Amino acid sequence: MQSTSVGAESQNSLYEQVVDSYGPALDRLARAYELDADARRDLLQDIHLQLWRSFAYFDQRCSLRTWVYRVAHNVATKHVMRQRRIRDRLVNIENFDFLPGSDQAELAASQAEALGRLSMLIQRLKPLDRQIIVSYLEGMDASSIGEITGLSPANISMKVHRIKNILKRWFGEGGPNAE
Amino acid sequence: MPNESPMNDPRNIWQNQPKEPFKMSVDEMRLKAHRFQMKARLTAATGITSALAVCIFFAWSFARTHEVLPRMGFGLISLCGIFMAFQTYKWVWPSNLPPDTPVSTSLEFYRSELERRRDFSRHIWRRTGLTYLFLGLAMVVVPALIEAFGAPRLLLNMVPFFLLLITWFVLFFRGKKRNQRKLQQEIDELRAFERDR
């Protein structure tokens, strides 16, 4: 793919724009890939660094959002792939058979507990499925997720359906009702 | 009404999680990029220096030994040190960001990462120079072993070492095979996904 180099000023302004618009989303994305606070800070720094570097080659063939999420997911995927002990235990969403206990199925007592449960679920998934569930939780539709991951809308729909079912089991009926 | 509670909606929980403030100015980012590059170079330089230290140590042993076979063994291990230094430079030395890296989709990126790991695992002996390292070790150890046949007590002392070596070989090959099979399976699954695009 032919890339167009943009000027340093444009690179900097793009980066500042992204920090303002996607800063909190990038923070959440890092949380989906790393539970440890110190390691997460390093990962987040790495994501920001690679994003800033990547804007030198941003050619506007895709939207800024798609670009940001692709770069961020790629950096985070590399981070997971480096940790062999974690990597070897990850599962596909299709093979995710861990059912919550009866106490877990009840409504979470606090936001922190619910978030902890959600993080635990995400941390067990392989990188590609993790990208899909994070994009889904960020409120993206199937075509946006497809642009980021490279999967077909049919595949995305199938996986999102599976994710919804799992979330329903983990959080009760009121959860994943939005497409 | 548990169903209407925001704590029961995963999207709501996810999007409203507490934020950890993170802000870096462009100047800080530039400085960080420079430091990142320097750190990566330092890591690579440490690997290269260690490999060259192995090379020098065994070259010194080569110069001091007079028996032909062990001498060749030390020479081979010394050359392995150079090879390892070169491989470290080739694979670990940081390069500039390839222009098309961020353009690839996450699926392609993930698959290419898996393929890179599979290829490294498949050619681990060649890539790390282990074949020549073990050949060199054999050249050093075998003459000593033949000599030990005359003294069974000495031979008995060597048994634990060889048992450990055999165990390592068995575990290494079994683990490598299992790992490669799992990687290939995942790569095939991802290729099937890509065909549907």
Side-chain angles (χ1 to χ4, degrees):
Chain A
M1 176 146 193
Q2 201 68 28
S3 294
T4 318
S5 233
V6 300
E9 240 175 75
S10 173
Q11 181 185 2
N12 294 346
S13 72
L14 270 174
Y15 173 70
E16 279 169 349
Q17 187 188 330
V18 161
V19 170
D20 287 340
S21 310
Y22 300 101
L26 290 173
D27 182 30
R28 293 193 289 269
L29 188 144
R31 196 184 282 266
Y33 285 88
E34 183 58 65
L35 279 180
D36 179 73
D38 289 334
R40 187 163 63 240
R41 187 166 281 270
D42 289 344
L43 172 63
L44 197 55
Q45 278 195 10
D46 203 14
I47 289 171
H48 278 258
L49 181 62
Q50 297 305 337
L51 270 173
W52 177 73
R53 292 176 75 192
S54 78
F55 289 137
Y57 305 100
F58 180 55
D59 54 9
Q60 301 189 339
R61 287 194 189 196
C62 61
S63 70
L64 186 61
R65 183 177 77 159
T66 301
W67 182 280
V68 167
Y69 276 106
R70 276 183 191 171
V71 174
H73 277 300
N74 289 354
V75 174
T77 296
K78 205 166 190 164
H79 174 79
V80 174
M81 302 285 281
R82 273 203 293 258
Q83 303 172 73
R84 191 176 173 176
R85 283 173 66 187
I86 294 172
R87 191 182 67 211
D88 290 349
R89 290 202 308 259
L90 302 177
V91 295
N92 285 323
I93 196 83
E94 289 79 11
N95 303 327
F96 197 91
D97 54 358
F98 180 69
L99 285 164
S102 55
D103 55 328
Q104 283 181 308
E106 287 164 16
L107 181 64
S110 67
Q111 173 86 4
E113 193 189 319
L115 181 61
R117 192 193 296 176
L118 190 55
S119 297
M120 191 169 76
L121 189 154
I122 294 170
Q123 296 288 328
R124 289 203 54 206
L125 294 174
K126 285 188 174 173
L128 194 64
D129 288 338
R130 221 182 277 207
Q131 290 166 19
I132 295 166
I133 195 169
V134 169
S135 305
Y136 168 77
L137 290 170
E138 287 292 337
M140 292 181 205
D141 58 17
S143 71
S144 303
I145 301 174
E147 265 183 46
I148 293 164
T149 57
L151 288 175
S152 69
N155 275 326
I156 297 284
S157 300
M158 191 183 73
K159 280 183 178 277
V160 166
H161 178 73
R162 173 83 177 140
I163 287 167
K164 277 181 175 182
N165 282 339
I166 291 169
L167 291 176
K168 217 177 252 183
R169 286 210 307 260
W170 279 56
F171 292 89
E173 293 298 320
N177 49 6
E179 188 59 52
Chain B
M1 289 284 286
N3 289 355
E4 288 167 10
S5 164
M7 273 191 283
N8 212 21
D9 179 359
R11 279 179 160 181
N12 195 31
I13 294 162
W14 184 253
Q15 288 174 27
N16 291 310
Q17 58 183 285
K19 293 169 188 68
E20 292 167 5
F22 180 87
K23 176 90 180 161
M24 278 175 96
S25 70
V26 169
D27 284 338
E28 279 175 310
M29 196 50 71
R30 204 175 285 121
L31 190 68
K32 183 91 189 158
H34 180 67
R35 280 192 192 142
F36 184 81
Q37 189 91 347
M38 292 297 285
K39 195 179 164 191
R41 281 187 182 163
L42 188 70
T43 309
T46 309
I48 292 168
T49 311
S50 309
L52 289 177
V54 168
C55 167
I56 292 166
F57 176 77
F58 284 101
W60 179 69
S61 304
F62 170 81
R64 281 178 42 137
T65 310
H66 299 294
E67 292 90 351
V68 179
L69 206 58
R71 200 167 188 219
M72 281 170 68
F74 284 129
L76 199 58
I77 297 172
S78 176
L79 288 176
C80 275
I82 296 177
F83 180 72
M84 279 177 188
F86 169 72
Q87 288 292 83
T88 309
Y89 175 75
K90 190 176 166 189
W91 296 98
V92 184
W93 193 264
S95 56
N96 287 327
L97 186 77
D100 59 342
T101 300
V103 182
S104 65
T105 62
S106 298
L107 178 68
E108 284 165 27
F109 179 82
Y110 182 39
R111 185 174 50 75
S112 70
E113 279 289 300
L114 289 174
E115 282 173 344
R116 207 167 59 87
R117 276 182 47 219
R118 182 204 56 192
D119 291 345
F120 183 77
S121 170
R122 190 180 280 170
H123 306 294
I124 196 161
W125 289 89
R126 201 179 66 205
R127 291 250 162 100
T128 55
L130 276 179
T131 314
Y132 301 106
L133 188 80
F134 275 104
L135 190 65
L137 270 178
M139 285 168 142
V140 175
V141 171
V142 168
L145 196 67
I146 292 168
E147 226 171 90
F149 276 119
R153 205 188 182 96
L154 203 63
L155 203 62
L156 212 63
N157 289 343
M158 288 184 177
V159 169
F161 168 74
F162 285 106
L163 277 177
L164 271 176
L165 195 67
I166 291 165
T167 312
W168 182 84
F169 264 104
V170 171
L171 291 177
F172 178 78
F173 277 108
R174 284 184 67 175
K176 184 171 168 273
K177 210 170 174 180
R178 195 179 58 227
N179 194 28
Q180 274 184 347
R181 203 174 43 236
K182 275 172 73 179
L183 281 171
Q184 191 57 53
Q185 199 179 342
E186 203 172 343
I187 291 166
D188 291 342
E189 281 171 18
L190 292 177
R191 285 219 174 103
F193 273 132
E194 280 182 291
R195 275 198 296 274
D196 293 342
R197 282 164 71 182

